[in-house]
Amino acid sequence: MMENVHLAPETDEDDLYSGFNDYNPAYDTEELENDTGFQQAVRTSHGRRPPVTAKIPSTAVSRPIATGYGSKTSLTSSMGRPMTGTIQDGVARPMTAVRAAGFSKAALRGSAFDPLGQSRGPAPPLEAKNEDSPEEKIRQLEKKVNELVEESCIANSCGDLKLALEKAKDAGRKERVLVRQREQVTTPENINLDLTYSVLFNLASQYSANEMYAEALNTYQVIVKNKMFSNAGRLKVNMGNIYLKQRNYSKAIKFYRMALDQIPSVHKEMRIKIMQNIGITFIKTGQYSDAINSFEHIMSMAPNLKAGFNLILSCFAIGDREKMKKAFQKLIAVPLEIDEEDKYISPSDDPHTNLLIEAIKNDHLRQMERERKAMAEKYIMTAAKLIAPVIESSFAVGYNWCVEVVKASQYVELANDLEINKAITYLRQKDFNQAVDTLKMFEKKDSRVKSAAATNLSFLYYLENEFAQASSYADLAVNSDRYNPSALTNKGNTVFANGDYEKAAEFYKEALRNDSSCTEALYNIGLTYKKLNRLDEALDSFLKLHAILRNSAQVLCQIANVYELMEDPNQAIEWLMQLISVVPTDSQALSKLGELYDSEGDKSQAFQYYYESYRYFPSNIEVIEWLGAYYIDTQFCEKAIQYFERASLIQPTQVKWQLMVASCFRRSGNYQKALDTYKEIHRKFPENVECLRFLVRLCTDIGLKEVQEYATKLKRLEKIKEMREQRIKSGRDSGGGSRSKREGSAGSDASYVDPLGPQIERPKTAAKKRIDEDDFADEELGDDLLPE
C-alpha cells in the first residue's frame, strides 16, 4: 500500500497550504465503486479481517511530537499517511483538515465557495402530517376545547350570557370526548387536568351568571370533590356567594368558613375578603354581634373603608354608642394610600417637568386615587349623619363630636361639610332659625365653604319669599365663587321673582357654562323663555333636559305645555301620553289629555281620559262638569245626576249644581223627584229666581195648590230685581252719558252678580252651554237666565 501514499511535494517552500488536498485514494469514497480491490474485499471475507498495521512503516523519526515530559514521539495514521500538524522535511504545517474549509488553491482555480452546500438544490419537502393518527386528533380536539372556553369568556365579558353558557356547555361536551379518546390511546395519568379544571370552572361560572344556581352548585361540587384538583377547596367561596344570592345565609356562612379553612394564612388578602363576606352575611341574618366580631377582626388585621363602614352600621343596629364612636374613629384612621396634591404642582418652570406633571395629573392612576378619596369622604359623611343624632343627647352635640374627630384626622376639609350638613338637618326638622345661624358661621371661612353656605342661605330666604335677603346672599355666594352653578342659579331665581326675565336668563346661561349638567338652571331657563314667549328656545331647553332626565314628569309636562302653546295639539298629546306612562295616576295630566281630545273633536277619547282623571281625583270640578255635560249631551241624564250631586257636595254654596241635579230629574221624566229637589233648593236659597220659576212651572203642570204661593214670591223677587236694574241703569246713564240702552242692561254686565243668588257663569264649551240653556230654560221662560 505504500505506492498509494503521496507525500507533499517540495516544489514551493513558500506556499504553506500547498499539497494539503493530496490525500490517499483509499479515502476517496466517490471512487469506491470503481476500486476493484475494495469491491473484492466486500465480496469476500477479506474486508472482515483486521488491518495489519505492523507492516506500515512508521514516520516517527521524521514526525516527533512533544509530550508533557519534554520527550518527542511521532504519530502515524492507520494507513501510513502523515497526520496534519506534523513536521515534514523540517517545515511545520498548520492544523487543517484533509480538505480546506473553503479556502484552497482549487477554489482560486474555479471551484465555487459553497460551505453550506446550497448548490445541491432545495431541501426535500417536510413529511406531511398524518391527520388520521389518534395523537393528531387528540391535539386538534384539545385546541378546539381551548377555543370554546375563550369564546365563552369573551361572550360573558360582552354581556351575552346566553351565548357564553352555550359555548361553555359545548366545551364541556368536547372535553369529555377528549378524555375518552385519551384513555383509549394513553394511560389515565396523561389526561390534561388543567384543561378539565378550566372547562368545569368556566361552566360553573356561566351557570351562576345566568342565575342557574342549582346547576352551578352541582358543577362546583364536581370540582371540589375531585382530589386530583389542587387548591379546589377555595372554590367554596363561590358556592357561598351563590347561597348568599339565594338567601340561604346559614349555608353561605358554612361554605365561607370551609373556604377559610382551605386557604393558608399567607394569603391574607383572600382571607380578609372572605371574612368580610361572612360579616355581611351576619348582617343580613340580623346577627349583628357576630358581624361586629368579623369586622373588628378585619379592622385589626387589614383595615379598609368598607369594613369600617359596615362595622359602624352593625354598631348602630345594636345601639351601642361607645362602639359607634370607636368604629367611627377606626374608619377615620384608615390610610388612603394616595399621593398628596402637592405632587401635581410644578416646583419650577422646567418645560419637561411641567409636561410630565400635566401627563400624570389626570391619568388612570390619578383617577383611581380620586375615586378612592371620594368613596372615603362619602363613607365618612354618611356615617357621621347616621350616628350624630344617637351618640349624644342631641344631634347637634353628636355633630360637634364628629366634627372634632374629623378635624384631628387626615380629612380636615370634611369638617366644614359636616357643619353644612348640620344646618341641612336643622332644615329637615323645620328649625330654620338654627339653620340660618349655623350657615352664618361660614361667612368668614374660605371662599368654597363661604359660597356653599351663602347658597343655602339664599335658598332659605327665597323659600320664605324674602327676596331681598335671598338676592343679597346669592350675590355673596357668586362673589365668593364665580364658578358655583348653584349660586348663579339662585341669583337667577331672585331676579326671575322680580320679573326681570332677560337678566335671569343670563344668570342661568352662565351657570350652564360653568356646569353643563346643572339641570336646575336648564329647567329654569326653559321657564324663563316661556315667560318671554320664546317658545322655540324654551322647547329646545326642555328637550335637552329630557335627554338628561329621561323619566322626569315635570320635564315631560313642560314639553307638552310648550307644544300646546305652539298650537300643535298632536305633539302635545304625544308627550302627555309619555307623561302618563311615567305617572299613570296623575289626574291633571289625564284631564289635560281629555281637554286636548275634546278640542280635536274626539269625544270618546276625551271621555276616557276625563273618566280616568275623575277616578283618581273625584274632586275636580271642571272634570265633574265635563262628565255631566257629556252624559246630558248623549241623552243619559240619569248618569249625569251622580256627578252633579258630587259637585254640590264639593261646593254646597253654589246653587248651580243643585239646579242641574233637579233639571236632570225633570228631563229624565222623574217630575216628583225634580219637584222635591227644587223645594229643597228653595228652602236653602229662598231668594233664587230660577228655582222659583221652575217651581211655578212644575206646580202648574202637576196641578198643585202651592203654585200661587210660589208665583207670588216670584213676582216680588222679579219686581225687586227690576227696580235694582233700573237704579243701575240710571246710575250708568248719569255717569256714562252716551251709553246705549243695551250697554246699560243687566244682561250685558258680565261682572254683575245678583244678590238674590249666585250668578250662573257662561260655560266655556259648547256642551256646557247646551246644558245651561236646555236645562234652565223652557219655551215660556226664554233666555233670561244666561247673561249674554
Side-chain angles (χ1 to χ4, degrees):
M1 297 179 64
M2 289 298 296
E3 64 269 18
N4 295 328
V5 177
H6 301 278
L7 298 177
E10 299 179 0
T11 58
D12 190 2
E13 295 181 358
D14 295 332
D15 189 2
L16 296 179
Y17 292 97
S18 62
F20 291 130
N21 281 339
D22 300 332
Y23 59 96
N24 195 329
Y27 295 114
D28 190 2
T29 58
E30 295 179 358
E31 297 296 332
L32 288 180
E33 294 181 357
N34 300 326
D35 191 344
T36 57
F38 179 77
Q39 296 296 331
Q40 180 66 29
V42 171
R43 286 193 296 269
T44 63
S45 62
H46 181 76
R48 292 191 294 270
R49 295 178 184 176
V52 180
T53 59
K55 296 181 181 181
I56 301 175
S58 175
T59 60
V61 178
S62 62
R63 300 174 62 190
I65 185 169
T67 65
Y69 294 93
S71 61
K72 295 180 179 180
T73 59
S74 300
L75 296 177
T76 60
S77 66
S78 61
M79 300 302 294
R81 181 179 178 273
M83 299 291 290
T84 58
T86 59
I87 300 174
Q88 297 182 7
D89 300 330
V91 180
R93 293 188 301 163
M95 298 293 288
T96 61
V98 175
R99 289 181 180 272
F103 180 79
S104 64
K105 282 185 176 182
L108 297 176
R109 290 193 293 271
S111 62
F113 178 75
D114 189 18
L116 300 179
Q118 296 179 358
S119 61
R120 293 195 297 269
L126 297 176
E127 184 179 355
K129 290 184 179 180
N130 186 7
E131 297 183 357
D132 295 334
S133 64
E135 287 295 332
E136 184 63 25
K137 289 182 178 180
I138 289 174
R139 278 195 295 271
Q140 293 296 327
L141 189 57
E142 186 172 304
K143 181 180 178 182
K144 182 63 177 175
V145 171
N146 279 313
E147 290 176 354
L148 286 171
V149 172
E150 291 178 2
E151 291 172 2
S152 174
C153 295
I154 292 172
N156 181 278
S157 64
C158 294
D160 194 348
L161 302 180
K162 187 176 181 181
L163 178 61
L165 180 59
E166 291 298 325
K167 295 287 185 182
K169 288 181 178 179
D170 197 10
R173 288 189 292 267
K174 284 184 169 51
E175 195 274 335
R176 288 192 291 272
V177 174
L178 175 63
V179 169
R180 287 195 294 269
Q181 290 186 4
R182 277 195 178 276
E183 288 176 349
Q184 294 174 2
V185 175
T186 61
T187 58
E189 289 78 8
N190 293 328
I191 295 175
N192 191 348
L193 290 177
D194 291 338
L195 181 61
T196 304
Y197 181 88
S198 63
V199 168
L200 290 175
F201 180 64
N202 179 61
L203 180 60
S205 300
Q206 302 307 333
Y207 275 134
S208 179
N210 284 272
E211 298 183 357
M212 301 172 66
Y213 297 130
E215 292 82 354
L217 289 171
N218 292 335
T219 310
Y220 278 127
Q221 201 71 28
V222 171
I223 302 175
V224 170
K225 287 187 176 180
N226 195 330
K227 302 297 183 182
M228 300 180 69
F229 296 139
S230 60
N231 299 324
R234 66 183 59 189
L235 291 182
K236 291 180 180 178
V237 176
N238 296 26
M239 300 176 71
N241 292 338
I242 293 175
Y243 282 122
L244 185 62
K245 291 178 182 177
Q246 292 180 328
R247 300 186 179 182
N248 192 346
Y249 301 124
S250 59
K251 279 197 173 183
I253 293 173
K254 174 184 176 182
F255 275 88
Y256 285 143
R257 286 177 170 170
M258 291 169 67
L260 201 61
D261 296 337
Q262 295 285 334
I263 296 174
S265 58
V266 294
H267 298 160
K268 292 182 180 179
E269 187 175 355
M270 177 65 74
R271 292 178 64 86
I272 289 298
K273 288 182 178 179
I274 296 176
M275 287 292 296
Q276 192 154 333
N277 284 9
I278 292 174
I280 292 172
T281 310
F282 277 132
I283 289 178
K284 289 184 175 293
T285 58
Q287 300 174 348
Y288 300 112
S289 299
D290 295 329
I292 290 173
N293 294 333
S294 298
F295 292 127
E296 284 181 343
H297 175 74
I298 295 171
M299 295 300 289
S300 62
M301 298 296 295
N304 62 78
L305 295 170
K306 290 184 179 180
F309 185 69
N310 287 332
L311 178 59
I312 292 175
L313 294 180
S314 303
C315 296
F316 177 81
I318 64 175
D320 194 328
R321 295 183 177 183
E322 294 301 321
K323 283 191 175 182
M324 277 188 273
K325 290 182 177 180
K326 292 179 180 178
F328 187 76
Q329 291 172 339
K330 288 180 180 179
L331 177 64
I332 289 287
V334 173
L336 280 180
E337 300 177 355
I338 62 176
D339 292 331
E340 298 294 333
E341 294 288 340
D342 298 339
K343 176 182 177 181
Y344 302 99
I345 300 176
S346 178
S348 63
D349 294 333
D350 183 14
H352 178 72
T353 304
N354 293 339
L355 286 174
L356 180 62
I357 290 175
E358 286 296 327
I360 67 174
K361 187 178 291 185
N362 200 33
D363 60 356
H364 292 295
L365 181 60
R366 178 62 177 157
Q367 292 174 6
M368 186 180 70
E369 289 178 348
R370 286 201 196 98
E371 291 174 0
R372 181 174 176 81
K373 185 177 180 181
M375 182 179 67
E377 293 177 355
K378 178 184 176 182
Y379 283 152
I380 292 170
M381 295 293 292
T382 306
K385 289 188 287 185
L386 180 69
I387 68 174
V390 296
I391 58 176
E392 297 292 345
S393 57
S394 66
F395 91 92
V397 180
Y399 259 109
N400 292 335
W401 181 87
C402 293
V403 169
E404 293 301 323
V405 173
V406 170
K407 284 182 178 178
S409 68
Q410 56 185 329
Y411 305 98
V412 182
E413 64 275 7
L414 288 183
N416 293 326
D417 294 336
L418 280 175
E419 290 281 1
I420 292 177
N421 276 331
K422 179 181 176 182
I424 294 173
T425 307
Y426 277 125
L427 286 178
R428 292 195 180 101
Q429 295 181 353
K430 309 297 183 183
D431 193 346
F432 298 106
N433 294 328
Q434 287 288 347
V436 171
D437 293 340
T438 305
L439 291 171
K440 284 183 177 179
M441 294 168 53
F442 294 96
E443 292 184 4
K444 296 182 180 180
K445 297 284 186 178
D446 59 78
S447 60
R448 185 187 68 85
V449 180
K450 185 193 298 184
S451 178
T455 301
N456 289 338
L457 283 169
S458 174
F459 174 70
L460 280 173
Y461 285 119
Y462 182 85
L463 292 180
E464 294 178 350
N465 293 328
E466 297 183 16
F467 299 124
Q469 288 278 15
S471 180
S472 174
Y473 279 102
D475 289 333
L476 177 62
V478 171
N479 294 332
S480 300
D481 185 3
R482 189 70 189 182
Y483 300 99
N484 186 348
S486 299
L488 292 166
T489 302
N490 280 353
K491 180 60 179 176
N493 291 346
T494 58
V495 175
F496 184 94
N498 292 327
D500 192 349
Y501 303 123
E502 291 287 354
K503 191 174 180 181
E506 291 300 324
F507 281 108
Y508 295 141
K509 287 178 182 177
E510 187 174 354
L512 289 171
R513 283 194 295 268
N514 294 333
D515 183 8
S516 59
S517 63
C518 183
T519 55
E520 294 83 2
L522 192 56
Y523 185 84
N524 290 352
I525 200 172
L527 295 179
T528 306
Y529 286 141
K530 278 180 62 179
K531 288 287 186 180
L532 294 171
N533 202 28
R534 292 154 63 176
L535 299 180
D536 291 333
E537 295 177 73
L539 180 62
D540 184 56
S541 299
F542 288 127
L543 289 175
K544 287 180 182 177
L545 191 57
H546 175 64
I548 301 172
L549 307 174
R550 301 297 298 181
N551 293 323
S552 173
Q554 288 178 308
V555 176
L556 293 171
C557 182
Q558 291 294 340
I559 294 173
N561 181 246
V562 171
Y563 274 119
E564 185 183 2
L565 294 175
M566 296 171 70
E567 298 180 356
D568 190 349
N570 293 328
Q571 283 291 335
I573 289 172
E574 181 179 344
W575 285 96
L576 283 173
M577 294 295 288
Q578 293 187 40
L579 174 61
I580 63 173
S581 68
V582 176
V583 280
T585 60
D586 191 327
S587 62
Q588 291 292 333
L590 291 167
S591 64
K592 177 58 71 173
L593 266 173
E595 181 182 338
L596 289 173
Y597 275 117
D598 187 26
S599 65
E600 291 293 299
D602 192 344
K603 296 292 183 182
S604 60
Q605 285 288 346
F607 169 75
Q608 177 184 348
Y609 288 109
Y610 270 123
Y611 181 77
E612 287 294 314
S613 176
Y614 172 79
R615 194 163 64 89
Y616 289 117
F617 184 62
S619 300
N620 190 330
I621 290 295
E622 293 181 357
V623 174
I624 292 172
E625 186 176 4
W626 191 94
L627 288 172
Y630 174 80
Y631 280 119
I632 291 176
D633 193 39
T634 54
Q635 305 300 321
F636 291 101
C637 298
E638 297 86 351
K639 292 186 177 181
I641 293 173
Q642 60 175 333
Y643 296 103
F644 294 132
E645 285 179 344
R646 178 171 289 276
S648 65
L649 291 175
I650 297 170
Q651 296 180 345
T653 59
Q654 290 286 340
V655 68
K656 173 182 178 179
W657 311 118
Q658 300 181 41
L659 288 173
M660 286 184 173
V661 172
S663 178
C664 288
F665 281 125
R666 179 174 55 81
R667 294 181 67 86
S668 62
N670 194 346
Y671 296 108
Q672 185 60 44
K673 189 68 176 176
L675 180 62
D676 294 339
T677 306
Y678 281 125
K679 287 182 178 179
E680 182 66 23
I681 295 171
H682 178 66
R683 187 181 64 81
K684 293 179 180 179
F685 304 95
E687 296 181 346
N688 186 271
V689 177
E690 291 81 7
C691 180
L692 284 171
R693 287 177 179 173
F694 285 116
L695 279 172
V696 170
R697 174 61 187 275
L698 281 176
C699 291
T700 302
D701 292 341
I702 299 175
L704 297 178
K705 297 179 180 180
E706 294 95 334
V707 63
Q708 190 62 37
E709 177 185 355
Y710 295 131
T712 304
K713 291 181 179 180
L714 178 60
K715 289 180 180 179
R716 181 176 61 84
L717 289 176
E718 286 178 344
K719 187 175 182 180
I720 295 173
K721 183 177 180 181
E722 184 179 356
M723 293 172 61
R724 187 180 295 113
E725 289 175 355
Q726 288 178 357
R727 286 197 300 269
I728 294 173
K729 178 183 176 182
S730 61
R732 287 184 178 178
D733 289 340
S734 60
S738 61
R739 292 187 181 180
S740 65
K741 181 179 180 180
R742 178 170 177 79
E743 289 176 340
S745 65
S748 63
D749 188 3
S751 62
Y752 169 71
V753 179
D754 190 349
L756 300 180
Q759 181 186 13
I760 299 175
E761 298 177 359
R762 182 168 182 155
K764 298 178 181 179
T765 62
K768 296 175 186 176
K769 182 176 180 181
R770 281 195 297 272
I771 295 171
D772 294 335
E773 291 177 348
D774 294 343
D775 295 340
F776 299 125
D778 284 322
E779 291 79 359
E780 295 83 357
L781 299 178
D783 296 332
D784 295 336
L785 296 179
L786 288 176
E788 294 292 342

